[in-house]
Amino acid sequence: MPIDLSPITAILRDIGVSLTASAIYDFLKSKFQGREQIECAVVERELDAYLKVHGVKAEAATVITAFADSGFLSIKDSHLFAPDAILIGAGEGARFSFGQNSSSSTSTTAIHATGNALVEGANSGMSQNADGSIVFMVGNSPGSSMNFFVGNPQPASKN
């Protein structure tokens, strides 16, 4: 059974104050752009590909990888620590959002997204590397930093 997205679009546009609602709206809008009607099952399938990491304190012995190959990854009010590297991002057609009182720390780097601060995107990511560098990247063209997310993500090598 097809559904008309016009009322949903109007409601989500009015809720623009909510950053999470805006991110979900952007994700769904990009998935269904140019289509006036969509089957309910299609919308449900897209919403099923959603992971929320909210209010979490996570610590790893070496590396934390949070990657959305499809759907939407949301990290907020959370604190991540791994001594070697932290990799957060989303592949082509997926989205991620990190922030709203979240921090991500390694032994040599830190990202603090306080208040309503956000790092978010599609086909993009951020990495805190073992060499002490922080990289924000977009795209996965040959030779780009985004390639480490494809397949089996690995931390940057130690020099």
Side-chain angles (χ1 to χ4, degrees):
M1 172 178 178
I3 59 172
D4 179 12
L5 293 180
S6 303
I8 295 171
T9 301
I11 291 169
L12 286 175
R13 192 173 297 130
D14 291 341
I15 302 177
V17 176
S18 168
L19 297 173
T20 301
S22 294
I24 294 169
Y25 169 76
D26 288 343
F27 172 71
L28 290 174
K29 181 177 155 187
S30 70
K31 285 288 188 186
F32 304 124
Q33 192 167 8
R35 296 170 66 179
E36 290 186 24
Q37 291 190 342
I38 300 162
E39 298 291 325
C40 288
V42 173
V43 174
E44 287 173 3
R45 186 173 56 246
E46 291 300 331
L47 289 175
D48 282 344
Y50 184 87
L51 175 64
K52 294 191 297 184
V53 180
H54 294 179
V56 172
K57 179 179 180 183
E59 296 181 16
T62 57
V63 176
I64 291 176
T65 301
F67 182 75
D69 188 45
S70 65
F72 181 69
L73 167 66
S74 171
I75 301 172
K76 76 176 193 177
D77 294 317
S78 295
H79 305 286
L80 311 178
F81 175 79
D84 295 340
I86 298 179
L87 316 168
I88 300 171
E92 189 171 347
R95 295 187 61 82
F96 83 97
S97 176
F98 170 87
Q100 292 182 293
N101 296 314
S102 291
S103 65
S104 176
S105 302
T106 68
S107 295
T108 57
T109 66
I111 298 173
H112 302 282
T114 58
N116 288 328
L118 285 173
V119 177
E120 59 184 15
N123 196 26
S124 58
M126 60 188 214
S127 72
Q128 294 168 253
N129 303 310
D131 66 3
S133 64
I134 296 175
V135 179
F136 296 91
M137 72 290 277
V138 176
N140 60 1
S141 60
S144 81
S145 299
M146 196 59 190
N147 287 327
F148 74 88
F149 281 119
V150 180
N152 184 14
Q154 298 293 318
S157 63
K158 292 182 181 180
N159 292 338

